[in-house]
Amino acid sequence: MLTGIRIVEFEALGPAPFAAMHLADLGAEVIVIQRKGGETNPAKQGPRLLDRGKRAIALDLKAPTDLDTARALIRSADGLIEGLRPGVMERLGLGPDDTRALNPGLVYGRMTGWGQHGPKARQAGHDLNYLGLSGALFYAGLPGQVPGVPPTLLGDIGAGALYLTVGLLAGLVQARATGRGTVVDAAIVDGAQHMMALLRSLGPQFDTGARGRSLLDGPHWSRCYVCACGGHMAVQCLEPKFYAQFLDTLGLGDDPGFARQFDTAQWPVLTARLAGIFAGQSRDHWAAQFDGSDACVAPVLSPDEAARDPHMVARGHGAGAALPAPRFDGAVSVPGPVPDPGHDGAAILRELREKGWL
């Protein structure tokens, strides 16, 4: 879908390389500028799945010759991704004002937690901090308990990388139409706050401002239950027709205690009753009971278990990294390989010289 688009990525951690991988999965040519001399951060010592489908060149951006190469790459690119603290790219002479002179049509994507300005802009932070300040962490837990720690997918990817991807694509559309580039300020706090609009738009029944009293975190029909084996089942049958199927599957369809689905006074009592029921059988038992039902109940699987689940297997997923998403015309694309560090450096330099960029 993005064949012909070139993105230059400055190596960072977390959401920025994920966004670049996402664009590579969609067909863009992504050249990642890695730090010459290797990476000692333990967060980068894994299988480097986020580099799949990219080309890699190692540069020392404090060396004049390598800095010239970075500038040449920027002149040749449609978009740029950086996930460094505010001010770092400017100190390298590669900030938006510097690159605009090199390439007026460049879409300059900036990925941070706090944003490019504001009292916290230059402070360190992580996923949980951004979610906490934005209000998105408020409902992450049961009544009387401290908020839980959601997987970093919620902030880094949902509120961060995907917002950066959307911003870059919007900027590329404008640049194609006008020849003018733009700066995309993608901040996780902004994305998390923006996502909260869905919940707040549903009215006070969904967003009461008090934990344990909303349709998000209070009901007996919207939580996880422990099973006899120690596993868990995820239940969230909001609509009455799905709630009715849930009760019927458990043999509770005629139980008057469960008749008033939205009676908040009954939620704690009914939660305790359901906890006792689910605790009486294994997770596999309950998964089989609800299989094929519209009761909106699913087992909580580990990543390894999910890779073996029939539905996930039918969708083409397996034990390795997930397939690219979304899909177009039903086709499943195959992600490109992960390059060795600096693998494409010689070829990239040759191409830049041949095309007059360097």
Side-chain angles (χ1 to χ4, degrees):
M1 302 299 287
L2 297 182
T3 298
I5 298 293
R6 171 176 279 192
I7 305 293
V8 174
E9 172 197 354
F10 287 79
E11 187 178 45
L13 296 175
F18 187 97
M21 179 201 73
H22 199 187
L23 294 173
D25 285 346
L26 295 176
E29 178 194 11
V30 177
I31 298 175
V32 55
I33 297 177
Q34 299 166 330
R35 294 173 180 83
K36 187 175 286 186
E39 176 59 65
T40 58
N41 191 313
K44 291 287 286 183
Q45 299 306 304
R48 296 175 34 250
L49 295 176
L50 300 188
D51 284 340
R52 73 184 189 191
K54 302 176 184 178
R55 305 174 73 195
I57 184 171
L59 299 177
D60 176 1
L61 296 178
K62 294 182 180 179
T65 300
D66 283 3
L67 189 58
D68 285 343
T69 300
R71 291 190 176 111
L73 283 168
I74 290 168
R75 281 194 290 270
S76 75
D78 299 289
L80 178 153
I81 290 177
E82 63 96 356
L84 306 174
R85 285 206 201 184
V88 172
M89 291 292 282
E90 282 80 356
R91 289 195 294 273
L92 290 169
L94 297 173
D97 290 340
D98 305 298
T99 58
R100 189 173 292 115
L102 298 171
N103 184 349
L106 184 73
V107 181
Y108 196 114
R110 318 198 78 172
M111 182 74 258
T112 60
W114 302 118
Q116 294 298 316
H117 71 275
K120 294 183 177 293
R122 295 178 184 271
Q123 292 181 16
H126 284 299
D127 195 280
L128 202 62
N129 313 129
Y130 313 136
L131 294 177
L133 194 73
S134 69
L137 195 63
F138 184 76
Y139 290 114
L142 297 176
Q145 299 180 8
V146 298
V149 181
T152 55
L153 305 179
L154 177 59
D156 277 357
I157 307 305
L162 298 184
Y163 275 83
L164 176 58
T165 301
V166 170
L168 282 162
L169 293 175
L172 289 168
V173 170
Q174 175 185 267
R176 285 287 175 93
T178 67
R180 297 194 308 271
T182 190
V183 178
V184 181
D185 177 3
I188 296 174
V189 287
D190 295 342
Q193 178 87 169
H194 188 253
M195 289 195 297
M196 288 291 289
L198 171 64
L199 305 182
R200 310 210 77 167
S201 71
L202 298 174
Q205 200 174 22
F206 281 82
D207 183 28
T208 63
R211 296 180 71 229
R213 302 292 296 174
S214 76
L215 296 188
L216 297 171
D217 64 346
H220 53 290
W221 44 262
S222 181
R223 61 183 58 221
C224 293
Y225 288 98
V226 182
C227 304
C229 61
H232 300 84
M233 293 296 292
V235 177
Q236 195 165 57
C237 41
L238 164 63
E239 292 85 352
K241 64 180 179 180
F242 300 146
Y243 179 67
Q245 290 197 39
F246 171 69
L247 296 180
D248 287 342
T249 303
L250 293 176
L252 299 171
D254 296 325
D255 190 313
F258 285 91
R260 298 189 302 277
Q261 179 183 356
F262 300 105
D263 184 350
T264 59
Q266 296 300 311
W267 287 351
V269 175
L270 300 179
T271 295
R273 286 189 60 185
L274 288 177
I277 293 171
F278 277 101
Q281 298 287 347
S282 69
R283 186 193 68 183
D284 289 346
H285 168 86
W286 292 120
Q289 287 290 107
F290 285 100
D291 187 37
S293 163
D294 279 345
C296 301
V297 178
V300 179
L301 303 179
S302 72
D304 287 341
E305 289 172 325
R308 300 189 297 270
D309 178 79
H311 181 79
M312 301 304 285
V313 171
R315 295 287 295 171
H317 301 291
L323 293 172
R327 302 178 186 187
F328 301 94
D329 296 327
V332 178
S333 59
V334 178
V338 175
D340 292 330
H343 175 268
D344 305 289
I348 291 170
L349 288 172
R350 184 172 60 252
E351 292 167 10
L352 289 174
R353 294 189 182 103
E354 288 174 352
K355 295 181 179 180
W357 298 111
L358 183 63

